[in-house]
Amino acid sequence: MTTMIDVLVIGAGFAGLRALHGCREMGLSTSVVEAGDGIGGVWYYNQYPGARCDVESFDYSYRFSPELEQEWRWSERYATQPEILKYINHVADRFDLRRDVYLNTRVVRAEYDDGAMRWIVDCEDGRQWNAGRLILAMGQLSAPKQTTYPGQETFAGRIIYSAQWPKDKIDFTGKRVAIIGTGSSGVQMTPVIARQAAQLTVFQRTANYSIPAANAPVSDAEDRMVKTDYRARREAARNSPSGLGFVPDPRSAIDVSAEEREAAYSAAWNRLGFGFALTFRDILLNQQSNDTASDFIRRRIAEQVEDPVIRDLLTPRDFPFGTRRPSVDSGYFATFNRPNVKLVDISTAPITAFTPDGIQTRDAEYPFDIIIYATGFDAFTGSLLKPDIIGRDGVQLRDKWSAGPISFLGLAVQSFPNMFIIVGPGSPSLLSNVLLSSEEQIDWLTALFEHCRQNAIGEVEASAEAEQDWVEHVNARAQETLYVKTPSYYMGAEMPGKPQVFMPYSGGVRGYRRILEKTAASGYEGFTLNKRAVQGVP
């Protein structure tokens, strides 16, 4: 069965549902296809203990409806996964979005029909869609690494991947538990599981910077204060570098006195969470400034860990703070003071195999009942390159991106007309409040769609020249930062064989929005707008 439609959106996370609402408001027939059996994207799958957002709840929420803003009551400053999932389900119900969402519908192939100027999209269940526009809202952290070790099939206990957390309740009481990985997932779940398990062993390859979440209940007074002038808060976020609603101190960290710098870092440590990296304007730009922030964090980590050997292992030293996405934690470091918690350094004694009883490293064997992989994702491009996406003249997206992602504005790809990517590589994406960035892009796209409708434009395609200019601009901005000094998922270093190029746009939320606005004001310079009017193309 083939369904004719104006717009097809792939992915039913925050971005996909927002795209559905925006396109539907224009009167465009729009559907969302989702591979999973529930909405919410990353917040549906990552149901591990301790999962929590690192952006404040008031900011990690939709801005398109003032009524929604006023009626929803957040309970905590940094919402937990269950509360975020409850929110997105409330939004879906309130705006009647579910009737256009098709769950358990995995896209396997999308091919552009040049003659008709439409996308033919085939799904695993045999359903086919014929769409005038294709929006990829598949998420940057939705393709988990399928990490394995030799002998894994022989392990007699249970193996769990944090990004594919099982729906049944996991009881850790009396269990010997292993967590492999100390990124955000591992950092968040460690304190929670440590309070339940008989023994918890954390396998760490790279010590991680982490900032206290400074989480707290949202009081009635704070709720009223934010809702009294929510528009101002939203505008502050839109006009900030990160979308977090505040701007850094305009001075360099090395231009202030040691006392003033210490006071600024202490205030940020106790309140800003992920925003600590923006205490001063050049923490991510200048190595000397970054050293002051990194040293402060190391001192604060040391204050929390009693054992000097464990303290040394938990202290990051080999890369500048913030060049890997820092974690936000609730008691992570102090958890290693517990007698039932052990840290194993696999940078010096790597895991060699699983055994029927547990994990074998180069130096020892550890028995476990449950092993948890918290090893992260094939970020930015992993989800986009899973299906076969075929553009004009048979060009495959995975072939075009074989040396790294290429796009114009992070939104459109030459040879793939009428296809648009939300918060993917080449956009602020994971360097920003992703929800704000997705709304910025979707609002801009719906304005583009309206321009096409009014001017009988049937086809929108990024030009090769604009695409190349944007890639060069993204790389040039990255070279101004310290990000390029560190192997990370920002640099494509999280997966063997992945192109080592800088993935997101480091020019900031405000700077990126101004570029979008300038592009629209120029009549969408950088795009080829084909005025061939084809029936069924919005």
Side-chain angles (χ1 to χ4, degrees):
M1 181 180 73
T2 301
T3 302
M4 297 287 292
I5 202 166
D6 292 333
V7 182
L8 182 67
V9 182
I10 304 178
F14 272 86
L17 295 182
R18 178 64 168 83
L20 169 60
H21 180 267
C23 292
R24 188 197 277 178
E25 288 288 287
M26 291 182 63
L28 301 176
S29 58
T30 307
S31 292
V32 176
V33 291
E34 164 60 46
D37 58 1
I39 65 171
V42 68
W43 297 109
Y44 178 75
Y45 290 104
N46 286 258
Q47 299 190 20
Y48 59 84
R52 187 184 297 273
C53 191
D54 60 4
V55 175
E56 287 198 43
S57 306
F58 287 115
D59 302 310
Y60 196 84
S61 59
Y62 290 122
R63 70 164 191 264
F64 69 84
S65 168
E67 294 78 18
L68 174 65
E69 289 176 335
Q70 293 298 316
E71 71 192 23
W72 184 261
R73 177 66 162 84
W74 292 105
S75 67
E76 295 182 75
R77 181 178 295 156
Y78 294 93
T80 60
Q81 177 272 333
E83 187 168 18
I84 295 170
L85 193 60
K86 182 179 178 181
Y87 172 77
I88 193 66
N89 276 280
H90 169 78
V91 172
D93 292 335
R94 191 191 190 287
F95 296 94
D96 190 24
L97 300 180
R98 294 184 196 275
R99 62 182 166 89
D100 292 316
V101 177
Y102 296 81
L103 301 175
N104 299 304
T105 307
R106 182 180 298 277
V107 171
V108 294
R109 178 185 174 90
E111 184 168 8
Y112 188 65
D113 183 337
D114 194 23
M117 296 192 299
R118 298 181 66 83
W119 281 92
I120 311 302
V121 180
D122 295 313
C123 297
E124 199 171 58
D125 62 1
R127 190 190 303 262
Q128 185 179 81
W129 303 81
N130 186 311
R133 313 274 189 226
L134 181 64
I135 296 178
L136 308 183
M138 298 152 79
Q140 318 83 355
L141 301 177
S142 56
K145 294 180 187 175
Q146 299 300 317
T147 313
T148 60
Y149 284 98
Q152 183 165 314
E153 70 283 354
T154 70
F155 177 58
R158 185 167 187 178
I159 296 173
I160 301 171
Y161 288 82
S162 64
Q164 296 169 319
W165 199 261
K167 293 180 180 179
D168 61 304
K169 182 176 175 58
I170 308 298
D171 185 3
F172 296 103
T173 305
K175 303 294 186 183
R176 300 164 300 175
V177 182
I179 297 175
I180 303 173
T182 55
S184 290
S185 300
V187 164
Q188 288 182 337
M189 72 173 70
T190 291
V192 180
I193 294 176
R195 292 194 292 269
Q196 304 171 24
Q199 177 69 42
L200 173 64
T201 304
V202 177
F203 291 84
Q204 172 188 277
R205 183 186 62 186
T206 305
N208 194 12
Y209 292 100
S210 187
I211 311 298
N215 190 44
V218 173
S219 68
D220 290 341
E222 183 179 6
D223 185 65
R224 284 193 301 270
M225 181 184 69
V226 171
K227 291 177 177 177
T228 296
D229 200 3
Y230 220 141
R231 289 301 94 193
R233 185 181 180 112
R234 296 295 196 191
E235 286 306 302
R238 294 181 72 228
N239 287 289
S240 68
S242 62
L244 297 179
F246 58 87
V247 296
D249 188 314
R251 297 170 296 176
S252 168
I254 58 175
D255 287 344
V256 302
S257 69
E259 294 76 17
E260 191 173 3
R261 186 168 58 238
E262 186 77 7
Y265 285 148
S266 294
W269 180 263
N270 292 319
R271 183 64 176 87
L272 294 187
F274 178 62
F276 184 92
L278 299 174
T279 307
F280 294 96
R281 66 167 176 81
D282 63 347
I283 288 176
L284 294 170
L285 305 175
N286 179 285
Q287 185 64 60
Q288 284 182 277
S289 293
N290 190 284
D291 288 343
T292 67
S294 299
D295 289 344
F296 177 89
I297 297 170
R298 293 184 191 112
R299 284 189 280 115
R300 288 303 179 97
I301 292 173
E303 293 169 0
Q304 300 174 68
V305 185
E306 296 167 0
D307 185 289
V309 175
I310 300 301
R311 181 191 309 145
D312 186 65
L313 288 174
L314 287 170
T315 302
R317 293 187 177 86
D318 298 332
F319 59 98
F321 164 68
T323 55
R324 286 190 171 112
R325 187 175 175 99
S327 298
V328 175
D329 75 274
S330 299
Y332 172 69
F333 295 107
T335 297
F336 290 91
N337 299 325
R338 297 177 61 101
N340 68 323
V341 177
K342 182 180 181 67
L343 182 69
V344 176
D345 177 19
I346 57 175
S347 67
T348 56
I351 296 172
T352 56
F354 280 28
T355 69
D357 294 326
I359 290 176
Q360 176 72 54
T361 71
R362 191 185 63 189
D363 294 346
E365 183 174 354
Y366 302 88
F368 296 111
D369 303 300
I370 300 172
I371 298 174
I372 301 169
Y373 279 114
T375 47
F377 303 86
D378 181 355
F380 292 103
T381 58
S383 59
L384 294 168
L385 298 181
K386 275 188 175 181
D388 291 326
I389 300 180
I390 305 165
R392 196 193 303 280
D393 299 325
V395 176
Q396 292 231 14
L397 186 63
R398 65 170 61 98
D399 291 338
K400 175 150 185 170
W401 283 12
S402 61
I406 301 171
S407 71
F408 178 42
L409 303 174
L411 277 165
V413 182
Q414 192 265 336
S415 294
F416 294 81
N418 292 349
M419 185 186 84
F420 305 94
I421 302 168
I422 305 299
V423 287
S427 76
S429 189
L430 292 175
L431 293 181
S432 70
N433 174 354
V434 177
L435 184 46
L436 182 149
S437 290
S438 67
E439 287 203 276
E440 290 286 334
Q441 288 187 317
I442 291 161
D443 287 343
W444 189 87
L445 274 181
T446 54
L448 169 62
F449 293 171
E450 182 59 33
H451 175 83
C452 291
R453 182 158 59 186
Q454 292 179 5
N455 292 277
I457 293 165
E459 187 175 71
V460 179
E461 182 180 1
S463 72
E465 181 181 9
E467 188 178 63
Q468 187 58 41
D469 288 346
W470 184 249
V471 170
E472 291 174 1
H473 177 64
V474 169
N475 290 332
R477 292 307 305 264
Q479 291 299 323
E480 298 169 357
T481 74
L482 300 176
Y483 289 116
V484 295
K485 288 191 170 188
T486 302
S488 70
Y489 67 48
Y490 296 139
M491 294 292 296
E494 79 282 13
M495 295 292 292
K498 191 169 182 175
Q500 302 287 294
V501 298
F502 192 72
M503 298 280 175
Y505 177 61
S506 60
V509 167
R510 176 180 55 199
Y512 180 76
R513 177 171 56 82
R514 289 173 176 171
I515 293 170
L516 291 182
E517 291 171 347
K518 182 179 178 181
T519 301
S522 71
Y524 298 97
E525 184 179 353
F527 289 94
T528 300
L529 306 180
N530 190 331
K531 286 199 172 189
R532 285 184 294 161
V534 174
Q535 185 179 4
V537 178

